[in-house]
Amino acid sequence: MKKADVIEFFHRLAEANPEPKTELESVNTYTLLVAVVLSAQATDAGVNKATRALFAEVDTPQKMVALGEDGLKAHIKTIGLFNMKAKNVIALSEALIADHGGEVPADRAALERLPGVGRKTANVVMNVAFGEETIAVDTHIFRVSNRTGLAPGKDVRAVEDGLEKVVPKAYRLHAHHWLILHGRYVCKARRPECWRCPVIDLCAYRPKTPPPAENRTAGGATRA
């Protein structure tokens, strides 16, 4: 994608949603970290449903350790991989208490040393909690970046590095939220809704998906 098109791409996304927010619910930086860890291979909606009652009771590492692994599992058992995630959340809570005075560090490298925290999770926390211009590449951003031609890459790190190079400074803070939301609600995995895409003319994806009405036979049956 040409530089001028990249600028226009983000201009349009920003115009449609000037202040994008994460859809994960949290009450403080610690619960944001926990929510992001729990969201791996799970939907934000599913995580929110499981954590609303949890975060009403548990909002510090100390309280999480006191709750214990079994207590945590009871809250998050509807989330995929909940056994492993519960183990990691208790371990990272213990590490926060032991190494950071119970506070979430505003440092990506320190975050990545916590159990269950990878680069994507660290990038989300750095961006949402601490206002850093990081780009957390999830499946939505990976798909949108490759499909549109914005920042093609064979793996998530290649896409992240590509986005770091092409996203204009003015749009860096909210870039990953715009791309996630665009991928989640418009540029969907199985069937992108090109007919209502605000950046359709800038996107390299072919062929464009036609509106539903154009995908019906004369007899009214939907084509496969």
Side-chain angles (χ1 to χ4, degrees):
M1 193 178 292
K2 297 178 180 179
K3 183 177 180 180
D5 290 342
V6 173
I7 294 171
E8 180 63 18
F9 184 99
F10 282 102
H11 170 72
R12 293 182 194 177
L13 295 183
E15 196 170 45
N17 187 1
E19 294 291 331
K21 306 292 183 184
T22 178
E23 294 187 325
L24 283 173
E25 297 173 5
S26 61
V27 298
N28 57 24
T29 303
Y30 169 70
T31 55
L32 171 67
L33 173 60
V34 172
V36 180
V37 169
L38 295 177
S39 71
Q41 300 182 51
T43 65
D44 287 1
V47 173
N48 291 338
K49 185 176 181 180
T51 57
R52 286 182 190 125
L54 173 66
F55 292 160
E57 302 174 13
V58 179
D59 58 1
T60 67
Q62 292 85 352
K63 291 179 182 178
M64 188 66 77
V65 172
L67 177 65
E69 193 171 324
D70 289 339
L72 178 56
K73 286 180 183 179
H75 280 279
I76 66 170
K77 59 187 177 182
T78 57
I79 300 175
L81 306 176
F82 73 93
N83 285 313
M84 179 187 70
K85 291 176 180 179
K87 182 178 180 179
N88 284 335
V89 168
I90 296 300
L92 75 82
S93 299
E94 292 171 339
L96 289 175
I97 295 168
D99 302 330
H100 302 284
E103 299 295 324
V104 177
D107 179 83
R108 181 162 59 188
L111 286 168
E112 287 189 64
R113 287 193 290 270
L114 295 172
V117 178
R119 186 177 180 85
K120 185 188 78 171
T121 295
N123 278 341
V124 172
V125 174
M126 291 300 296
N127 179 266
V128 176
F130 302 115
E132 295 292 325
E133 296 176 350
T134 52
I135 299 175
V137 179
D138 70 347
T139 56
H140 296 300
I141 293 183
F142 184 80
R143 179 176 66 256
V144 171
S145 296
N146 277 285
R147 182 182 276 169
T148 62
L150 178 64
K154 293 182 178 180
D155 54 46
V156 293
R157 185 57 189 270
V159 169
E160 180 185 338
D161 291 343
L163 289 170
E164 291 279 357
K165 293 177 182 177
V166 304
V167 177
K169 174 69 175 176
Y171 300 110
R172 286 286 297 276
L173 181 61
H174 296 311
H176 92 265
H177 281 127
W178 283 317
L179 294 174
I180 286 171
L181 294 172
H182 186 64
R184 184 173 290 163
Y185 297 112
V186 180
C187 196
K188 299 176 181 179
R190 294 186 63 184
R191 185 176 173 81
E193 299 182 359
C194 301
W195 66 89
R196 65 184 192 88
C197 175
V199 293
I200 184 172
D201 56 313
L202 306 174
C203 170
Y205 179 70
R206 297 291 186 277
K208 305 296 187 187
T209 309
E214 295 180 15
N215 206 36
R216 295 178 180 276
T217 65
T222 303
R223 294 174 185 162

